[in-house]
Amino acid sequence: MKFRKNLAVSLALGLLAVSLPTPGFAALPQGAAAPNFTLDAAKGGKTFNFTLNQSLRKGPVVLYFFPAAFTPGCTVEAHLFAEATDTFRKMGATVVGVTAGNVERVAEFSKVECRDKFAVAADPGAKIAAEYKTTMTFKDRLLSERTSFVIAPDGKILLSYTDGNPQAHIEKTMAAVREWKAKHG
């Protein structure tokens, strides 16, 4: 009987592991050059082109990749970044979220879940996520893995952080921006 129970638990854990998203690569590390990109984006429901290099002229950029708009973890993360955006802005940083999932809904997501506070960009086919080495496969689709970067105005990555739990991303990115601000006034 004990053998069957152990077998059942092992099979259940194995099935769970197979159903979880699988990461593609290790994200670009701290100190690496951040690839420039231009993507269709929205802020407050209004669409525009977001270009990384243009935003870096204003100060550091908090670039966070998330799997898909309107999913539970991504919604929590959007709310947390929305709450923190004014603090980031006071330190001269721009926040932008990028997703390869539900790309047709980024304008709506920027308005509803990002609360008109920051831009969300669509990354069809996870092309930019692949350049940042932060992709995962989920149900045979290539998506953005939950990874946050802080990029200095010179284009160097100050922070590279990957974690499925959305809550620590705000703390980590905020600390990296504060550290940059302390050194650069």
Side-chain angles (χ1 to χ4, degrees), residues 64 76-84 88 148 161 166-175:
Y64 84 94
V76 167
E77 188 173 30
H79 291 177
L80 293 169
F81 269 113
E83 290 170 13
F88 281 118
S148 295
Y161 178 73
Q167 298 193 349
H169 287 263
I170 308 320
E171 296 165 16
K172 301 275 187 186
T173 56
M174 188 71 71

Side-chain angles (χ1 to χ4, degrees), residues 7-171:
L7 179 62
V9 169
S10 295
L11 286 173
L13 290 174
L15 288 172
L16 177 63
V18 169
S19 69
L20 293 174
T22 54
F25 309 98
L28 286 178
Q30 181 177 334
N36 185 38
F37 62 88
T38 299
L39 290 172
D40 292 335
K43 181 178 177 186
K46 295 181 178 127
T47 59
F48 67 100
N49 286 328
F50 178 90
T51 301
L52 178 63
N53 282 351
Q54 284 180 333
S55 290
L56 288 172
R57 291 182 198 146
K58 301 174 203 165
V61 171
V62 175
L63 168 64
Y64 84 94
F65 289 89
F66 61 98
F70 295 107
T71 57
C74 298
T75 296
V76 167
E77 188 173 30
H79 291 177
L80 293 169
F81 269 113
E83 290 170 13
T85 296
D86 289 338
T87 304
F88 281 118
R89 192 175 297 123
K90 287 176 187 170
M91 293 187 289
T94 300
V95 175
V96 62
V98 175
T99 187
N102 300 338
V103 295
E104 70 284 352
R105 297 185 72 193
V106 294
E108 180 186 3
F109 191 71
S110 75
K111 187 173 179 125
V112 175
E113 305 301 354
C114 303
R115 302 179 176 155
D116 301 336
K117 291 286 195 169
F118 62 91
V120 181
D123 183 15
K127 292 177 181 110
I128 303 306
E131 287 186 39
Y132 279 80
K133 297 184 178 179
T134 182
T135 59
M136 66 179 181
T137 303
F138 182 69
K139 295 184 180 180
D140 296 328
R141 287 184 58 204
L142 192 61
L143 296 176
S144 324
E145 192 170 15
R146 190 177 315 285
T147 301
S148 295
F149 296 94
V150 174
I151 304 167
D154 67 0
K156 296 290 181 208
I157 295 173
L158 300 173
L159 172 77
S160 174
Y161 178 73
T162 302
D163 189 338
N165 182 340
Q167 298 193 349
H169 287 263
I170 308 320
E171 296 165 16

